[in-house]
Structures are given as C-alpha cells and as structure tokens.
Amino acid sequence: QGHLVESGGGSVQAGGSLKLSCKASEYTYSRFCLGWVRQTPEKGREGVAVIDKDGSTTYADSVQGRFTISKDNAKNTLYLQMSNLKPDDTGRYICAALYSCGPRFDIATMSRATSLDGYWGRGTQVTVSS
C-alpha cells in the first residue's frame, strides 16, 4: 500500500466534474496495465475504467460516455476525468497498476484484482450530492 498516490477527489453537485490523478514515484507506468476501481459500503469494490499498455481503454457501463481514463507515461501519472457526475458515482476511487494484463484486460479483471496482483493507492474520496 501507498506505492501510488491519488489526488483530485472532493465534493461536487450532480452534473459537476472532477479530474483524479494517480502518481507513481517508483515505477514506470508503461510496464503496467492500469485502472481505477471505486469502493462503497453498499457495492463493495467495482472496476470503473482500465487502460492497457498500448493505451486501449475500457469502461464500466455505468460510466461509459462520462468518464475518460488516460495516462502520461513520461510523468508516471494516471488520470480519470469524470463529467456529468451522479450521486451513484460517490465512493472511494483507488488506482492500481497490475503486474499482468492477463489474456484479456477488462473491467471484470480489474474488479477481481487484489493487492497481490499489483500496486495500489490508498484512494481519494468522491462525493456527489443531488
């Protein structure tokens, strides 16, 4: 824990936007498959968005068209641009850099990943009010 550091969370009203960042100080992002999960008491951990080594992206159905994941390998920083936020987007957003992409790197892979599968941040809280 603590190898990755998230920032950018906060409290916004529905319809607002936030941009999350995830900085790695020790690792080269180009070597990993990266993603964001969010965690809530009600739903547990769920994958939100992933980006593979080649830059291909995949999104959970609930955020498709509203969220954009991107990375800057030179800065070792992962981003999540969130727009048109909804109260259901509330949660703790955690970034991860996985050692292996597996045969198919998708939202399900990200949702199942554990601390043994890569490096994880501590998360940043996003709260969306109606």
Side-chain angles (χ1 to χ4, degrees):
Q1 293 183 349
H3 296 282
L4 307 178
V5 180
E6 302 95 337
S7 61
S11 297
V12 297
Q13 289 190 325
S17 299
L18 284 173
K19 186 173 185 177
L20 307 183
S21 298
C22 174
K23 175 73 173 176
S25 59
E26 302 176 31
Y27 313 107
T28 302
Y29 266 168
S30 60
R31 297 168 47 200
F32 299 89
C33 283
L34 309 170
W36 292 90
V37 300
R38 66 186 174 200
Q39 193 155 350
T40 63
E42 299 81 13
K43 298 180 182 179
R45 178 180 290 184
E46 55 181 348
V48 174
V50 301
I51 183 166
D52 69 14
K53 297 177 184 179
D54 296 328
S56 296
T57 60
T58 308
Y59 299 90
D61 290 343
S62 61
V63 307
Q64 181 75 47
R66 300 187 297 118
F67 289 12
T68 302
I69 187 172
S70 62
K71 62 178 178 174
D72 186 330
N73 287 335
K75 296 181 179 180
N76 273 350
T77 303
L78 177 69
Y79 303 99
L80 186 67
Q81 175 68 53
M82 306 185 295
S83 303
N84 191 21
L85 283 161
K86 303 176 180 180
D88 282 348
D89 295 320
T90 294
R92 189 162 190 83
Y93 284 71
I94 304 167
C95 64
L98 303 187
Y99 305 132
S100 174
C101 304
R104 180 177 178 178
F105 187 55
D106 55 15
I107 295 299
T109 302
M110 196 69 220
S111 298
R112 291 193 299 265
T114 71
S115 59
L116 299 177
D117 297 316
Y119 302 105
W120 295 78
R122 296 183 183 274
T124 184
Q125 180 67 32
V126 172
T127 303
V128 185
S129 58
S130 58

